[in-house]
Amino acid sequence: MGIPTNHKAILLATFIAFGGFLFGYDIGVISGCLIMPDFVDRFGQVGADGVAVLSSSRQSIITSLLSAGTFVGAIAQAFTSDRFGRRGSILIWSGIFTIGTAIQTATIRSIVQITIGRFIAGLGVGALSAIVPLYNGETAPKAMRGMLLVLYQLQIIIGIFLSYIIDLGTHTINGPSSWRIPVGLQMLWGVILLSGIFFLPESPRHLLGTGRGEEARRVVAELNSLPEDDPVVLDTIEELEFGIRAENDGGKATWMECFSQRNQLWKRTINGMMLQFIQQLNGQNFYYYYGDTFFKSAGTNLDPYSIQAILGGVSVVGTIPALYLIESWGRRNSLLTGSVMEGVCALIAGLVGHFTLAPPNTPADQLTARNRQGGDTLIAFAVLHVFSFSVFWGPTPWVYLGESFPLRVRPKAIALGSATNWLWNFLLSFFAPRIAEKIGPLILLIFFGMLVFGYGYVWLFIPETKGLSLEEVDEMYRSGVKPWNSPQWRPAEKQIHGKAEVATEVREVKEKSDEESV
């Protein structure tokens, strides 16, 4: 029996996580473009004074069309992932993303063209935001799955950070190159991901689920750097086949099955959606939108590009320790710790900002010592909030989403979770500026309340999945263990031949199928 190694699996997971880089870069790049003079001149409206202005409504159209596309793409990938496989689906949506960025880059003055390009690119970004956790969850070794799924969040943050740095470097260029360079670079990122067609294997779980056992054995052997006839490979394949056969005997999965009572699928789907919902309302995005106001209140002269770059750098640094903590602390502890740390930051920043900050647009020479001290305090807790999010609530919901569902409903359940993320991303970007305009930094108390709710929800409903295979996660849910006792739960001894629990699962699925056919 050979000793399996995971070098190839790690390299593949790192490459696929590049889909997260596309996700992050596309989100971050447009914010800098919206205030570039040439971009405003081409896509804004000329006022009575002859100066072009990019109104808030036009800015909203340009930014929100991406969110609309991502929502549709996240749902649509469930159909392509089942029909064309995980590998084929990644390539399809990478191509769509690249086409969308080409349309944006080629735009001269048409706001219709650039928004259509944003929507098409959004289709690819939304689809990849679901496919990457799906693929990595199915191919990563269970002992390293959490870390490899965190790579996805790390690449999202790196993409955002790099977009800020490139915007910072090009915004002083006169002419369309100031925005076409950062936007056009996305075509290169899409082509890099498309190159995966030359070496990217299909998910072995998908291959087995579609009756392609020989290919599955070859992929498992390749990912573990072992011969195809090695006992480790054969045992892995045999164990997967039992679970997959039990799932497939129930017929084709439907969207409603994601909310069925069998194996507590309804609870798992709602958990995945709720974690994405809470993640978006953690409050960290608020600092990106209003960081320049806070920094100016402290008496600094940093421009919005520098502020974004600083916060982006903090996010990158924060995500790195998550690669270790996700496996050492586990999923539950990461979410619980993050809720406490971010909640404290949001509470202090909201109250200090409300009671000490000067009104917006106050000249720097009119700021009092109290204003400056309040601004410094708020900035410190804003940075700590962004850092804490990057360590805990940034990556963990994606890890949980990628490892919580059986094969038959996995693409659909992950699609629902990703779509929830994008829906609330859109609602937050649409409503937060209007709320903040009315109540200022007190909006952070809303996020504080959400973090308190998040702590309670995780404690009551989110089980620990650290160190379990995807099939063992199924077994844990079937066992009915309470979430707060789940860290001590261990799977039963597996007896591959004549395994009673699999027979029970097959019988449950067959009975369900018989009931539906009556």
Side-chain angles (χ1 to χ4, degrees):
M1 180 182 294
I3 300 175
T5 60
N6 305 128
H7 300 136
K8 290 185 178 179
I10 294 171
L11 289 174
L12 283 174
T14 304
F15 176 80
I16 290 300
F18 190 74
F21 179 88
L22 269 67
F23 174 176
Y25 188 93
D26 198 47
I27 291 173
V29 74
I30 197 64
S31 59
C33 295
L34 290 174
I35 55 176
M36 291 180 182
D38 187 82
F39 191 92
V40 173
D41 179 66
R42 288 172 182 273
F43 305 111
Q45 296 167 298
V46 179
D49 57 358
V51 178
V53 177
L54 194 61
S55 64
S56 58
S57 62
R58 289 206 166 198
Q59 290 186 35
S60 177
I61 290 171
I62 293 172
T63 55
S64 64
L65 260 291
L66 175 78
S67 297
T70 54
F71 180 84
V72 175
I75 296 294
Q77 67 77 32
F79 300 96
T80 60
S81 291
D82 282 337
R83 175 68 178 82
F84 302 105
R86 286 39 164 166
R87 173 179 178 271
S89 196
I90 288 170
L91 300 174
I92 289 170
W93 293 106
S94 298
I96 290 173
F97 170 82
T98 305
I99 291 170
T101 58
I103 292 172
Q104 294 176 66
T105 308
T107 304
I108 298 178
R109 289 187 176 273
S110 172
I111 190 172
V112 174
Q113 181 177 338
I114 198 167
T115 51
I116 289 175
R118 293 276 294 165
F119 178 81
I120 293 173
L123 292 173
V125 170
L128 290 168
S129 73
I131 299 170
V132 172
L134 171 66
Y135 183 91
N136 273 354
E138 291 184 347
T139 58
K142 66 179 182 180
M144 306 177 67
R145 189 176 61 242
M147 183 191 74
L148 295 179
L149 285 169
V150 169
L151 277 175
Y152 173 62
Q153 176 68 16
L154 177 60
Q155 297 236 33
I156 292 175
I157 298 300
I158 291 175
I160 293 174
F161 178 59
L162 183 61
S163 72
Y164 291 162
I165 295 298
I166 292 175
D167 280 348
L168 177 64
T170 65
H171 80 279
T172 56
I173 299 175
N174 293 322
S177 296
S178 60
W179 59 271
R180 279 191 175 140
I181 289 174
V183 171
L185 274 173
Q186 294 175 100
M187 289 187 285
L188 175 60
W189 314 146
V191 169
I192 290 174
L193 201 54
L194 278 168
S195 69
I197 192 171
F198 297 110
F199 62 88
L200 196 63
E202 183 53 85
S203 158
R205 285 179 173 87
H206 176 75
L207 291 172
L208 287 172
T210 52
R212 295 147 69 185
E214 290 295 324
E215 292 181 61
R217 187 163 65 248
R218 187 161 54 249
V219 171
V220 170
E222 180 183 350
L223 292 177
N224 289 277
S225 301
L226 292 171
E228 290 185 34
D229 58 354
D230 190 273
V232 172
V233 174
L234 298 178
D235 287 348
T236 300
I237 291 294
E238 192 169 8
E239 183 177 343
L240 290 175
E241 283 177 335
F242 272 104
I244 291 169
R245 191 179 304 121
E247 294 166 5
N248 288 344
D249 280 349
K252 186 176 181 180
T254 64
W255 286 92
M256 287 307 298
E257 188 172 341
C258 294
F259 299 97
S260 69
Q261 294 186 6
R262 187 174 66 87
N263 293 343
Q264 300 192 36
L265 284 175
W266 67 273
K267 183 182 293 186
R268 296 150 82 168
T269 301
I270 290 175
N271 279 349
M273 296 172 69
M274 285 297 295
L275 288 182
Q276 295 291 330
F277 158 64
I278 297 169
Q279 183 206 57
Q280 282 300 306
L281 295 182
N282 265 214
Q284 80 290 344
N285 286 333
F286 180 77
Y287 296 114
Y288 285 105
Y289 299 147
Y290 295 95
D292 58 332
T293 301
F294 294 158
F295 277 55
K296 288 175 182 176
S297 297
T300 67
N301 296 314
L302 294 173
D303 59 64
Y305 296 100
S306 300
I307 293 169
Q308 286 184 327
I310 290 170
L311 293 176
V314 170
S315 296
V316 172
V317 172
T319 307
I320 293 173
L323 294 167
Y324 169 76
L325 293 175
I326 196 69
E327 295 297 352
S328 61
W329 280 17
R331 286 59 158 158
R332 269 177 65 86
N333 285 338
S334 291
L335 293 171
L336 293 171
T337 303
S339 297
V340 172
M341 291 182 64
E342 291 179 61
V344 170
C345 292
L347 179 63
I348 294 175
L351 294 177
V352 169
H354 176 70
F355 289 110
T356 66
L357 284 189
N361 301 317
T362 300
D365 58 359
Q366 295 181 23
L367 294 175
T368 66
R370 176 182 171 85
N371 295 150
R372 292 178 184 275
Q373 290 172 356
D376 290 341
T377 303
L378 192 147
I379 289 169
F381 281 96
V383 169
L384 184 58
H385 191 149
V386 170
F387 179 84
S388 300
F389 173 83
S390 300
V391 177
F392 301 114
W393 270 93
T396 308
W398 292 108
V399 173
Y400 187 86
L401 197 62
E403 64 185 10
S404 295
F405 306 103
L407 178 70
R408 60 183 282 110
V409 298
R410 192 170 294 142
K412 293 180 175 63
I414 291 179
L416 290 170
S418 298
T420 301
N421 181 285
W422 288 112
L423 174 63
W424 284 97
N425 181 282
F426 167 75
L427 293 174
L428 179 69
S429 62
F430 186 82
F431 287 109
R434 291 162 174 77
I435 297 173
E437 189 176 5
K438 299 292 185 183
I439 63 175
L442 286 180
I443 191 176
L444 291 169
L445 298 187
I446 297 176
F447 302 131
F448 166 74
M450 180 54 61
L451 288 160
V452 172
F453 168 77
Y455 185 96
Y457 189 89
V458 170
W459 178 263
L460 293 173
F461 300 111
I462 303 298
E464 181 57 72
T465 54
K466 178 185 73 170
L468 302 177
S469 71
L470 300 185
E471 290 67 36
E472 289 167 346
V473 172
D474 266 351
E475 182 185 342
M476 179 182 65
Y477 272 100
R478 289 199 302 270
S479 73
V481 64
K482 300 297 183 185
W484 50 89
N485 293 327
S486 60
Q488 289 77 44
W489 181 87
R490 294 294 179 269
E493 283 293 325
K494 290 186 167 39
Q495 298 173 4
I496 296 298
H497 298 288
K499 187 164 63 171
E501 66 179 271
V502 174
T504 301
E505 173 69 0
V506 173
R507 187 163 56 252
E508 288 177 0
V509 178
K510 285 183 176 178
E511 288 171 357
K512 175 182 179 294
S513 179
D514 293 340
E515 290 171 3
E516 291 176 347
S517 62
V518 173

